[in-house]
Amino acid sequence: MILVQNLRLPSNGSKYLTVLAILLLLAGCTPKVRVLRGSGNKVPPKVAVPAEKEKAEEEVAEKEKVAINNIALLLPFELDKANPHAPSTADIKRSALALDFYQGFKLGLDALAAEGTNFKLDVLDTRDDVGESARIAKVEAVQNAALVVGPVYPKEIQVFGFNASLDNALQISPLAASMPSEFNLPNLVTITAPLAVHVRALAAHIVKQYQSGDVVLLYETRDATSEQLLAPLRAEIQRLKRDIKMVAVQDAETLESSVHLSGKNLVVLATTNKYQISPILAQLRALQEEHAYQIQLFGHPSWSKLGFAEDDGLAALKARITTSYHIDKQAQPVRRFDQQYRSEFGVTPTEFAYKGYDAAYYFGGLLAKYGADYKEHITDSEYEGLHNHFKFEYNPAWGYVNNAISILQYGSGDFRPLN
């Protein structure tokens, strides 16, 4: 059982608009959307019965009392900026991330509720505002929560964490990829693996591919994104394998003078600027196709969102990237979720809906299984979800960090898990 208002709506093209309107109605003039017991769960009126029978019924009722797991969900709906009487397309766009995550989260709790777990969910609007996040850190719904999910943006995560007294609850950071050391909140759980975790995974993968005669070429494009990945990657590769041959290249000339014909050339290109990537890819293809150099390309995690074309040559270069999530649309659990989500909300789920579902099902499942002691089992409870694996490691200074990273390789027009 989940104590949440049913948001199932007529099937039409304006479901986002209707869901937002309902949230606005629930919110009223306050920034909190309090989710209460839905219709159908009303307590029946008491009927006069003989004393013995009444006593027996009270004993049965006592046994049937169920524990309710309180969860506070903090998302940036920004309802204060929306028209409460007629939400607009701009209002929907502003709230889209929060709506998608909330709807996926609700389905995750619904799945657990169908298995017999009881939840009481309080949804609070952070308004994408630091001051509001500090204020709601003190509200009763947060203080009474066994689990707090959100806020989602880094500036709000820290302010909320410092103002909330979560002695018996964890604060889940569901989307931010910031290094948790930026916050120093020992009860913070970071679901999205930060860049440092990607660096460790990529370094380990490159070292595993490396053989005698190979060379690792770090292509420095001198933009911030490239520097943030290449510098720690170099250090991590050297830590794992001190005698590995690494060379920094900056342009076509230094690249051509550094490639090896006798071994593999493991090229790391970490920029996310397509205008810089395209000519470098053309040069790498020329070295491979015209001069028979063995090229293995490694890119930035964000390449999965850049929309490469087949003629960019990533498939021929066997381009690989690390990722903290991947949604296999052909997997049966994903197809079931897609069907349920479209049936429930009339729209196709986004990345944030999958993430909402996995967060609810994983952490709600821990609450259902272990109760108040769920925090003790995070590091030994791995999870294979719709969008990624969860494998948490604990640090006393900054809490729990997901270290589950996958390697994707480009092929058939997209990045796919490396078998």
Side-chain angles (χ1 to χ4, degrees), residues 168-225:
N168 299 313
L170 291 178
Q171 177 186 348
I172 313 301
S173 171
L175 301 177
S178 307
M179 259 310 282
S181 55
E182 297 178 16
F183 309 122
N184 288 322
L185 299 171
N187 66 332
L188 184 69
V189 182
T190 302
I191 290 182
T192 304
L195 185 62
V197 178
H198 286 268
V199 166
R200 290 199 297 269
L202 180 58
H205 185 69
I206 289 174
V207 168
K208 186 176 180 180
Q209 302 300 307
Y210 185 89
Q211 297 178 337
S212 179
D214 296 346
V215 60
V216 177
L217 302 172
L218 305 178
Y219 205 115
E220 299 175 343
T221 54
R222 295 187 175 85
D223 56 292
T225 304

Side-chain angles (χ1 to χ4, degrees), residues 111-405:
L112 291 170
E115 299 170 8
T117 308
N118 305 285
F119 297 96
K120 176 174 174 292
L121 179 65
D122 285 286
V123 184
L124 299 103
D125 182 8
T126 64
R127 299 182 177 181
D128 189 17
D129 181 79
V130 171
E132 183 63 14
S133 295
R135 191 196 70 79
I136 63 178
K138 303 295 185 181
V139 302
E140 183 181 357
V142 170
Q143 298 301 312
N144 293 337
L147 176 70
V148 176
V149 180
V152 302
Y153 298 130
K155 61 182 180 180
E156 297 170 28
I157 291 171
Q158 187 167 47
V159 169
F160 175 86
F162 283 150
N163 284 276
S165 300
L166 303 180
D167 297 332
N168 299 313
L170 291 178
Q171 177 186 348
I172 313 301
S173 171
L175 301 177
S178 307
M179 259 310 282
S181 55
E182 297 178 16
F183 309 122
N184 288 322
L185 299 171
N187 66 332
L188 184 69
V189 182
T190 302
I191 290 182
T192 304
L195 185 62
V197 178
H198 286 268
V199 166
R200 290 199 297 269
L202 180 58
H205 185 69
I206 289 174
V207 168
K208 186 176 180 180
Q209 302 300 307
Y210 185 89
Q211 297 178 337
S212 179
D214 296 346
V215 60
V216 177
L217 302 172
L218 305 178
Y219 205 115
E220 299 175 343
T221 54
R222 295 187 175 85
D223 56 292
T225 304
S226 179
E227 291 175 355
Q228 288 170 1
L229 189 144
L230 290 184
L233 180 65
R234 176 193 290 273
E236 181 64 13
I237 290 175
Q238 289 179 332
R239 186 187 71 82
L240 294 174
K241 189 175 179 63
R242 296 186 63 85
D243 61 344
I244 199 166
K245 183 175 179 57
M246 280 191 292
V247 178
V249 299
Q250 297 83 27
D251 48 38
E253 183 178 348
T254 56
L255 175 62
E256 290 186 16
S257 65
S258 301
V259 290
H260 288 193
L261 190 58
S262 58
K264 296 193 302 295
N265 297 276
L266 307 176
V267 180
V268 183
L269 178 59
T271 184
T272 56
N273 186 329
K274 285 291 292 287
Y275 294 104
Q276 289 183 303
I277 294 173
S278 294
I280 296 172
L281 292 179
Q283 184 188 11
L284 292 173
R285 292 200 309 275
L287 289 171
Q288 180 174 259
E289 296 167 3
E290 299 172 14
H291 303 286
Y293 286 102
Q294 296 183 62
I295 306 290
Q296 171 73 69
L297 179 63
F298 301 91
H300 192 278
S302 295
W303 279 19
S304 62
K305 298 183 177 181
L306 293 186
F308 291 97
E310 285 293 336
D311 57 8
D312 287 323
L314 291 184
L317 296 168
K318 297 179 180 177
R320 296 177 183 178
I321 63 173
T322 57
T323 185
S324 61
Y325 75 95
H326 176 73
I327 299 165
D328 181 1
K329 285 290 190 177
Q330 300 308 313
Q332 190 61 33
V334 173
R335 294 174 67 179
R336 275 198 308 269
F337 175 80
D338 288 355
Q339 182 179 8
Q340 183 183 9
Y341 194 91
R342 285 192 294 267
S343 175
E344 184 84 9
F345 304 111
V347 293
T348 301
T350 68
E351 164 193 339
F352 303 112
Y354 296 109
K355 291 183 175 183
Y357 178 92
D358 281 340
Y361 197 83
Y362 175 73
F363 291 103
L366 288 180
L367 271 174
K369 187 173 182 179
Y370 300 109
D373 296 328
Y374 77 97
K375 300 182 290 295
E376 307 301 323
H377 298 275
I378 289 181
T379 56
D380 56 31
S381 299
E382 294 188 26
Y383 170 75
E384 184 174 351
L386 298 178
H387 85 293
N388 192 22
H389 303 325
F390 291 165
K391 184 179 180 181
F392 291 98
E393 292 185 3
Y394 178 68
N395 182 290
W398 59 69
Y400 304 82
V401 182
N402 187 16
N403 280 259
I405 293 292

